[in-house]
Every structure is written in structure tokens, then in C-alpha cells.
Amino acid sequence: MRFLLRIIIVATLGITILVTWRLLWTPGGDMAPKAEEDFTLTLDTFLHVQQLRKKSLRAFCSRSGKATMLQTSREERAHLLSRVRVSTKLNFLYCQVPATGVEGWQQLLEELEEKENGTLPAPLPYPQQHTLQTELGRLNLSTIEAVIGSYTKVLFVRDPFQRLVAAYLQSMHRSSSFSNFVQEALDTGMQNAGTAWKPLVSLCLPCLIQYDYVLMFGFLRQELGHLLQRTRLKANTHLLELTDQHVLWTYSWLSKKLLGELSLQQKQQLAHFYRWDLSAFPFSHSLLSDHLSTPESL
């Protein structure tokens, strides 16, 4: 019965996304989400929102006492920074976390890196290694410090419960139900948590790396457009057809449905597990917020 329910959920999600895709496709081949047509994010509004997000993040870091200094051991740095990527050709640093919209960003960087005129004219205090994207932790300490201090740093964030739902959909062949999947995730604990559902604060280290831009899943097309403009990348560089806006409301519906499968204890445990993300980022409407008691307690 549970297997049949899972098949129905996946089929419903797939059909809904397909229908939404067709409804949003406009003549001429330009993908234009209607929600974004109705709401135009101006540059001034974008910059104001960025200031608010970073202010909230700084306040969280001040309260939580999260690490703000790099580890001296090379092995510890490599482990700590394993999800942080850099493009030494384009002077970008970003955190690679699945299901946050970063996949489209990576493809865009790869296209830009292949262009002969893609290098930005911003000099660094060390020779640039015009190579493709690499892990920040693979660089030596002085280079890491220089990169953090001079590169444009981008963080992609998404509601933690929706990330958990996305991880469940990717691994449904291994879990009999969403409730079982959640329990397995909780049982692994923070240290052994999978990248797909581990809190962003633990993966991206926003108190150690002061990100210049915090981009929200669901608004990536317009926010990335302003980011590219601000970082002086070529205006004729096209944005990939991002799908975050297309599936956002579908995931919102599915998240509510799957939340109903969880016990009160599981909801409270999840809220505690994601307490740092819920406090650090603008997730006030997250389904887990109602079950959060002490946001930053250990």
C-alpha cells in the first residue's frame, strides 16, 4: 500500500511539473514564469533584500558563536570546505548543495569559463590559475584566505523541509515511506548526515565565509540576473532556463502532504535538526517553524 502511495506521489509530481511547464511556456521559445512576470524585482529591491538577508545572517553568527576561523590542518580544512567550490577564472566562490538551484548556476559558470572573453578584470593578490571549478579546500591556506577575501561569494538557500522532500524523492527506492526516510535521516545524526539533507549552515559555513549574495530558491532567475549585472559579466550571457519557480508551488503542496505522515515527535526533532538554518535564513514560513522551540540551542 505504501509503495502504491509513493508511486502516486511521484506520478502526481511529475504530471504537475509537466503541466506547469507547458502553461508557463510562451510563444517564441522564452521561458517566462508568470509569477515573475507579475513581480519584477528591481535592482534597488534586490540590493535591499540582500542587505536584510546578510544582516540576519550576521546576527545569527553573533548569537550562535559559530566558527569564524579556518582550521590549520589541511585535512580538516579539506573536510570542512568540501562543499565550497571556486572558479578561479571568473573569481566566484559558491556552496554546492543539491536541490537549491545551484545546478543551473554551475552550468552557467561552465559556459562562461569556456568563453575566451569570460575572465573578469579583477586582479587578485596571487597568480590566477585559469582552471575550471575546484574545491576550495584543495588550495593552500594563504590562497584560501585570499579567495575568501577577494572573490564574489554566492550562497543558494532553500527551505530545509523542501530539501528533505527532494532528497526523499531521489531515494524512494530505498525507503518504504517518508516517515521511515525521515527517521533514518534523524538517526544518522548531524555528523553523518547526507549532503542532500544536511543543514546549510553546516555545509556552507556562512559564519566563516561572509557571502556577498544569498539567493533564494524560487526567485533565482531575477536574482541571478541582477547578480550577473553587478559582477560585470557580459550582458549578452544568457541565463539558463531555471526551473525553481516552476516547481516551487508543487513542492509546497507536496511538503504539506508529506508533513502529515510524520509524528509530532518527528516534526519536533526535524525542527531541532534544522534549527540553525531556520534561524540564519529567511524561512519564517517553513512548515517546521511552528515546531521550533529553541532555535539555536545545542
Side-chain angles (χ1 to χ4, degrees):
M1 187 64 181
R2 287 179 175 176
F3 179 77
L4 179 60
L5 177 61
R6 291 163 54 204
I7 295 298
I8 293 175
I9 291 175
V10 173
T12 302
L13 180 62
I15 293 172
T16 306
I17 293 175
L18 178 61
V19 171
T20 305
W21 182 279
R22 290 185 177 277
L23 288 174
L24 294 175
W25 190 271
T26 57
D30 180 32
M31 181 66 69
K34 294 185 180 298
E36 292 197 6
E37 287 179 349
D38 297 335
F39 172 70
T40 300
L41 182 69
T42 65
L43 178 60
D44 287 342
T45 301
F46 170 71
L47 295 177
H48 178 65
V49 169
Q50 288 301 310
Q51 290 300 320
L52 293 177
R53 290 175 185 172
K54 290 187 289 185
K55 181 179 179 180
S56 176
L57 192 51
R58 288 194 299 269
F60 161 78
C61 293
S62 178
R63 294 191 306 267
S64 65
K66 288 291 180 184
T68 57
M69 296 185 63
L70 284 169
Q71 301 289 334
T72 56
S73 166
R74 187 180 185 90
E75 291 74 18
E76 290 178 331
R77 290 198 307 270
H79 175 73
L80 191 67
L81 301 171
S82 62
R83 304 310 304 175
V84 182
R85 301 290 188 270
V86 292
S87 168
T88 56
K89 185 175 183 180
L90 298 174
N91 299 352
F92 272 111
L93 176 153
Y94 64 95
C95 187
Q96 183 189 42
V97 178
T100 59
V102 72
E103 296 84 0
W105 170 250
Q106 286 182 278
Q107 294 178 47
L108 178 59
L109 287 183
E110 289 171 2
E111 288 191 4
L112 291 172
E113 286 172 336
E114 292 174 357
K115 293 179 179 293
E116 292 184 358
N117 60 351
T119 304
L120 296 180
L124 289 175
Y126 63 91
Q128 286 182 279
Q129 314 171 33
H130 299 309
T131 58
L132 296 180
Q133 301 160 46
T134 186
E135 292 181 16
L136 179 64
R138 293 182 178 271
L139 307 177
N140 61 51
L141 182 58
S142 60
T143 302
I144 291 175
E145 292 174 341
V147 165
I148 291 177
S150 59
Y151 275 30
T152 299
K153 298 169 286 294
V154 186
L155 177 61
F156 293 78
V157 301
R158 184 180 184 181
D159 175 86
F161 190 69
Q162 288 195 13
R163 286 183 55 221
L164 189 65
V165 170
Y168 169 64
L169 294 177
Q170 289 292 325
S171 62
M172 288 182 67
H173 62 285
R174 295 194 297 270
S175 299
S176 58
S177 70
F178 183 63
S179 178
N180 288 344
F181 173 80
V182 167
Q183 194 57 54
E184 291 172 4
L186 290 170
D187 290 342
T188 60
M190 183 71 72
Q191 294 298 324
N192 299 317
T195 302
W197 68 81
K198 193 171 186 176
L200 289 170
V201 167
S202 298
L203 293 170
C204 301
L205 312 172
C207 297
L208 173 64
I209 303 172
Q210 297 184 8
Y211 289 90
D212 301 300
Y213 297 94
V214 180
L215 306 185
M216 181 70 68
F217 187 90
F219 301 92
L220 293 181
R221 181 169 180 167
Q222 294 196 63
E223 293 193 350
L224 277 175
H226 288 306
L227 185 154
L228 294 176
Q229 178 184 348
R230 291 277 296 173
T231 52
R232 294 178 296 168
L233 288 176
K234 296 299 181 180
N236 60 358
T237 299
H238 73 280
L239 279 174
L240 296 178
E241 302 300 352
L242 302 170
T243 61
D244 60 308
Q245 183 66 47
H246 307 162
V247 302
L248 183 61
W249 71 271
T250 306
Y251 265 94
S252 297
W253 167 81
L254 184 58
S255 295
K256 292 178 181 178
K257 181 177 181 59
L258 292 176
L259 185 70
E261 296 186 12
L262 304 182
S263 67
L264 177 59
Q265 182 181 14
Q266 286 178 315
K267 295 173 185 177
Q268 293 172 338
Q269 288 177 323
L270 277 179
H272 182 73
F273 184 78
Y274 287 117
R275 63 195 181 281
W276 293 328
D277 281 10
L278 293 171
S279 180
F281 304 115
F283 299 138
S284 58
H285 297 294
S286 173
L287 296 177
L288 297 177
S289 296
D290 292 339
H291 303 283
L292 189 64
S293 54
T294 52
E296 292 149 31
S297 61
L298 297 177

